[in-house]
Coordinates of all heavy atoms in Angstrom, one line a residue:
V29 N -1.2 8.9 1.9 CA -1.6 7.5 2.0 C -0.4 6.7 1.6 O 0.1 6.8 0.5 CB -2.8 7.2 1.2 CG1 -3.1 5.7 1.2 CG2 -4.0 8.0 1.6
P30 N 0.1 5.8 2.5 CA 1.2 4.9 2.1 C 0.8 4.0 1.0 O -0.2 3.2 1.1 CB 1.5 4.1 3.3 CG 0.5 4.5 4.4 CD -0.4 5.4 3.8
E31 N 1.5 4.0 -0.2 CA 1.2 3.1 -1.2 C 2.3 2.1 -1.3 O 3.2 2.1 -0.5 CB 1.1 3.9 -2.6 CG -0.2 4.8 -2.6 CD -1.1 4.5 -3.7 OE1 -1.0 3.4 -4.3 OE2 -1.9 5.3 -4.0
L32 N 2.3 1.3 -2.3 CA 3.2 0.1 -2.3 C 4.7 0.5 -2.1 O 5.4 -0.1 -1.3 CB 3.0 -0.7 -3.6 CG 3.7 -2.0 -3.7 CD1 2.9 -3.0 -4.3 CD2 5.1 -1.9 -4.4
P33 N 5.2 1.5 -2.8 CA 6.6 1.8 -2.6 C 6.9 2.3 -1.1 O 8.0 1.9 -0.6 CB 6.9 3.0 -3.5 CG 5.8 2.9 -4.6 CD 4.6 2.4 -3.8
E34 N 6.0 3.0 -0.5 CA 6.2 3.4 0.9 C 6.1 2.2 1.8 O 6.9 2.2 2.8 CB 5.2 4.5 1.3 CG 5.3 5.8 0.5 CD 4.6 5.8 -0.8 OE1 3.7 4.9 -1.0 OE2 4.8 6.7 -1.6
V35 N 5.2 1.3 1.5 CA 5.1 0.2 2.4 C 6.3 -0.7 2.3 O 6.8 -1.3 3.2 CB 3.8 -0.6 2.1 CG1 3.7 -1.9 3.0 CG2 2.6 0.3 2.4
E36 N 6.8 -0.8 1.0 CA 8.1 -1.6 0.8 C 9.2 -0.9 1.6 O 10.0 -1.6 2.3 CB 8.4 -1.6 -0.7 CG 9.8 -2.1 -1.0 CD 10.0 -3.6 -0.6 OE1 9.0 -4.3 -0.4 OE2 11.2 -4.0 -0.6
R37 N 9.3 0.4 1.6 CA 10.4 1.1 2.3 C 10.2 0.8 3.9 O 11.2 0.6 4.6 CB 10.3 2.6 2.1 CG 11.6 3.3 2.3 CD 11.7 4.6 1.5 NE 10.4 5.2 1.2 CZ 9.9 5.4 0.0 NH1 10.5 5.1 -1.1 NH2 8.7 6.0 -0.1
A38 N 8.9 0.8 4.3 CA 8.7 0.6 5.7 C 9.0 -0.8 6.1 O 9.6 -1.1 7.2 CB 7.2 0.8 6.0
A39 N 8.8 -1.8 5.2 CA 9.1 -3.2 5.5 C 10.6 -3.4 5.6 O 11.1 -4.2 6.4 CB 8.5 -4.1 4.4
V40 N 11.3 -2.7 4.7 CA 12.8 -2.8 4.7 C 13.3 -2.2 6.1 O 14.2 -2.8 6.7 CB 13.4 -2.0 3.5 CG1 14.9 -1.8 3.7 CG2 13.1 -2.7 2.2
A41 N 12.7 -1.1 6.5 CA 13.1 -0.5 7.8 C 12.8 -1.4 9.0 O 13.6 -1.6 9.9 CB 12.4 0.9 8.0
L42 N 11.6 -2.0 8.9 CA 11.2 -3.0 9.9 C 12.1 -4.2 10.0 O 12.5 -4.6 11.1 CB 9.7 -3.4 9.7 CG 9.2 -4.5 10.6 CD1 9.1 -3.9 12.1 CD2 7.8 -4.9 10.2
R43 N 12.5 -4.7 8.8 CA 13.4 -5.8 8.7 C 14.7 -5.5 9.4 O 15.2 -6.3 10.1 CB 13.6 -6.2 7.2 CG 14.2 -7.5 7.0 CD 14.2 -7.9 5.5 NE 12.8 -8.0 5.0 CZ 12.4 -7.4 3.9 NH1 13.1 -6.6 3.2 NH2 11.1 -7.6 3.5
V81 N 10.7 -10.9 7.6 CA 9.7 -9.8 7.4 C 9.4 -9.8 6.0 O 10.3 -9.7 5.1 CB 10.3 -8.4 7.9 CG1 9.3 -7.3 7.6 CG2 10.6 -8.4 9.4
E82 N 8.1 -9.9 5.7 CA 7.7 -10.0 4.3 C 6.7 -8.9 4.0 O 5.9 -8.6 4.8 CB 7.0 -11.4 4.0 CG 6.6 -11.7 2.6 CD 5.7 -12.9 2.5 OE1 5.3 -13.5 3.5 OE2 5.5 -13.3 1.3
R83 N 6.8 -8.4 2.8 CA 5.7 -7.5 2.3 C 4.9 -8.2 1.2 O 5.6 -8.8 0.3 CB 6.3 -6.2 1.7 CG 5.2 -5.2 1.2 CD 5.7 -4.1 0.4 NE 6.4 -4.6 -0.8 CZ 5.9 -5.0 -1.9 NH1 4.5 -5.2 -2.0 NH2 6.6 -5.4 -2.9
R84 N 3.6 -8.2 1.3 CA 2.8 -8.7 0.2 C 1.7 -7.6 -0.1 O 0.9 -7.3 0.8 CB 2.1 -10.0 0.5 CG 2.9 -11.2 0.2 CD 2.9 -11.5 -1.3 NE 1.8 -12.2 -1.9 CZ 1.2 -11.8 -3.0 NH1 1.6 -10.8 -3.7 NH2 0.1 -12.5 -3.5
G85 N 1.7 -7.0 -1.3 CA 0.8 -5.9 -1.5 C 1.2 -4.8 -0.5 O 2.3 -4.6 -0.2
K86 N 0.2 -4.3 0.2 CA 0.4 -3.3 1.3 C 0.4 -4.0 2.7 O 0.3 -3.3 3.7 CB -0.6 -2.2 1.2 CG -0.4 -1.4 -0.1 CD -1.0 0.0 -0.1 CE -2.3 0.1 -0.8 NZ -2.8 1.5 -0.8
H87 N 0.5 -5.3 2.7 CA 0.5 -6.0 4.0 C 2.0 -6.3 4.4 O 2.8 -6.5 3.6 CB -0.2 -7.4 3.8 CG -1.6 -7.2 3.4 ND1 -2.7 -7.3 4.2 CD2 -2.1 -7.1 2.1 CE1 -3.8 -7.1 3.5 NE2 -3.5 -7.0 2.2
Q88 N 2.2 -6.2 5.7 CA 3.5 -6.5 6.2 C 3.4 -7.7 7.2 O 2.5 -7.7 8.1 CB 4.2 -5.3 7.0 CG 4.5 -4.2 6.0 CD 5.0 -2.9 6.8 OE1 6.1 -2.9 7.2 NE2 4.1 -2.0 6.9
L89 N 4.2 -8.7 7.0 CA 4.1 -9.9 7.8 C 5.4 -10.1 8.6 O 6.5 -10.1 7.9 CB 3.9 -11.1 6.9 CG 2.6 -11.0 6.1 CD1 2.6 -12.2 5.1 CD2 1.3 -11.1 7.0
H99 N 0.8 -9.5 11.7 CA 0.4 -8.9 10.4 C 0.1 -7.4 10.7 O -0.6 -7.1 11.7 CB -0.9 -9.6 10.0 CG -1.6 -8.9 8.8 ND1 -2.9 -8.3 8.9 CD2 -1.1 -8.6 7.6 CE1 -3.2 -7.8 7.7 NE2 -2.2 -7.9 6.9
A100 N 0.7 -6.5 9.9 CA 0.5 -5.1 10.1 C 0.0 -4.5 8.8 O 0.5 -4.9 7.7 CB 1.8 -4.4 10.5
H101 N -0.9 -3.6 8.9 CA -1.4 -2.8 7.7 C -1.6 -1.4 8.1 O -2.2 -1.1 9.2 CB -2.8 -3.4 7.3 CG -3.1 -3.0 5.9 ND1 -3.3 -1.7 5.5 CD2 -3.2 -3.7 4.7 CE1 -3.6 -1.7 4.2 NE2 -3.5 -2.9 3.7
F102 N -1.0 -0.5 7.3 CA -0.9 0.9 7.7 C -2.2 1.7 7.3 O -2.4 2.8 7.8 CB 0.2 1.6 6.9 CG 1.6 1.3 7.5 CD1 2.7 1.6 6.7 CD2 1.7 0.8 8.8 CE1 4.0 1.3 7.3 CE2 3.0 0.5 9.3 CZ 4.1 0.8 8.5
R103 N -3.1 1.2 6.5 CA -4.2 1.9 6.0 C -3.9 3.3 5.5 O -3.1 3.5 4.6 CB -5.3 2.0 7.1 CG -5.7 0.7 7.8 CD -6.5 -0.2 6.9 NE -6.5 -1.5 7.5 CZ -6.7 -2.6 6.8 NH1 -6.9 -2.6 5.5 NH2 -6.7 -3.8 7.4
M104 N -4.3 4.4 6.2 CA -4.2 5.7 5.7 C -2.9 6.5 6.1 O -2.3 7.2 5.3 CB -5.4 6.6 6.1 CG -6.7 6.1 5.7 SD -6.9 6.0 3.9 CE -7.4 7.7 3.6
G106 N -0.4 5.2 8.7 CA 0.6 4.5 9.5 C 2.0 4.5 9.1 O 2.3 4.8 7.9
D107 N 2.9 4.3 10.0 CA 4.4 4.2 9.7 C 5.1 3.6 10.9 O 4.5 3.5 12.0 CB 4.9 5.6 9.4 CG 6.2 5.5 8.4 OD1 6.6 4.3 8.1 OD2 6.7 6.5 8.0
W108 N 6.3 3.1 10.7 CA 7.1 2.6 11.8 C 8.0 3.7 12.2 O 8.5 4.5 11.4 CB 8.0 1.4 11.4 CG 7.2 0.2 10.9 CD1 7.3 -0.3 9.6 CD2 6.4 -0.6 11.6 NE1 6.5 -1.4 9.5 CE2 5.9 -1.7 10.8 CE3 5.9 -0.6 12.9 CZ2 5.0 -2.7 11.2 CZ3 5.0 -1.6 13.3 CH2 4.6 -2.6 12.5
E160 N 2.1 -9.3 -7.4 CA 2.7 -8.0 -7.3 C 2.8 -7.4 -8.7 O 3.2 -8.1 -9.7 CB 4.1 -8.1 -6.7 CG 4.1 -8.7 -5.3 CD 3.7 -7.7 -4.2 OE1 4.0 -6.5 -4.4 OE2 3.1 -8.1 -3.3
Q189 N -7.4 -5.6 -4.9 CA -6.1 -6.2 -4.7 C -6.0 -7.6 -5.2 O -4.9 -8.2 -5.2 CB -5.8 -6.2 -3.2 CG -5.8 -4.8 -2.6 CD -4.7 -3.9 -3.2 OE1 -3.5 -4.2 -3.0 NE2 -5.0 -2.8 -3.8
G194 N -1.2 -4.3 -4.2 CA -0.4 -3.1 -3.8 C -0.7 -1.8 -4.5 O -0.1 -0.8 -4.2
L195 N -1.5 -1.9 -5.6 CA -1.8 -0.6 -6.3 C -2.9 0.1 -5.6 O -4.0 -0.4 -5.4 CB -2.2 -1.0 -7.7 CG -1.9 0.1 -8.7 CD1 -0.4 0.4 -8.8 CD2 -2.4 -0.3 -10.1
G196 N -2.6 1.4 -5.2 CA -3.6 2.2 -4.5 C -4.2 3.3 -5.3 O -3.9 3.4 -6.5
Y199 N -1.6 5.8 -7.3 CA -0.8 5.2 -8.4 C -1.7 4.7 -9.5 O -1.2 4.6 -10.6 CB 0.3 4.3 -7.9 CG 1.3 5.0 -7.0 CD1 1.8 4.4 -5.9 CD2 1.7 6.3 -7.3 CE1 2.7 5.1 -5.1 CE2 2.6 7.0 -6.5 CZ 3.1 6.3 -5.4 OH 4.0 7.0 -4.6
L234 N 5.5 3.1 -10.2 CA 6.0 2.5 -9.0 C 7.5 2.8 -8.9 O 8.0 3.0 -7.8 CB 5.6 1.1 -8.9 CG 4.2 0.7 -8.8 CD1 3.9 -0.8 -8.8 CD2 3.6 1.3 -7.4
A237 N 8.2 6.3 -7.9 CA 7.8 6.6 -6.5 C 8.8 6.0 -5.5 O 8.9 6.5 -4.4 CB 6.4 6.0 -6.3
S238 N 9.5 5.0 -5.9 CA 10.3 4.3 -4.9 C 11.5 5.2 -4.5 O 12.2 4.9 -3.6 CB 10.8 2.9 -5.4 OG 11.5 3.1 -6.6
S240 N 11.2 8.4 -3.6 CA 10.8 9.6 -2.8 C 10.0 9.2 -1.6 O 9.6 8.0 -1.5 CB 10.0 10.5 -3.7 OG 8.9 9.8 -4.3
R241 N 9.7 10.1 -0.8 CA 8.9 9.8 0.4 C 7.5 10.4 0.2 O 7.3 11.4 -0.4 CB 9.5 10.5 1.6 CG 10.8 9.8 2.1 CD 11.1 10.2 3.5 NE 11.3 11.6 3.6 CZ 12.4 12.3 3.4 NH1 13.5 11.6 3.1 NH2 12.5 13.5 3.6
Y242 N 6.5 9.7 0.8 CA 5.1 10.1 0.5 C 4.7 11.3 1.2 O 3.6 11.9 0.9 CB 4.1 8.9 0.7 CG 3.8 8.5 2.1 CD1 2.7 9.0 2.8 CD2 4.6 7.6 2.8 CE1 2.3 8.6 4.0 CE2 4.3 7.2 4.1 CZ 3.1 7.7 4.7 OH 2.8 7.3 6.0

Side-chain angles (χ1 to χ4, degrees):
V29 176
E31 292 238 18
L32 191 141
E34 293 85 16
V35 178
E36 170 63 18
R37 205 157 28 241
V40 167
L42 177 63
R43 194 173 294 132
V81 175
E82 182 191 11
R83 180 194 60 75
R84 268 292 276 138
K86 294 203 255 182
H87 303 261
Q88 297 175 74
L89 302 170
H99 171 242
H101 199 294
F102 285 164
R103 309 287 168 208
M104 302 297 279
D107 206 354
W108 300 116
E160 300 281 325
Q189 302 297 298
L195 206 61
Y199 297 142
L234 292 175
S238 62
S240 53
R241 288 196 302 271
Y242 72 96

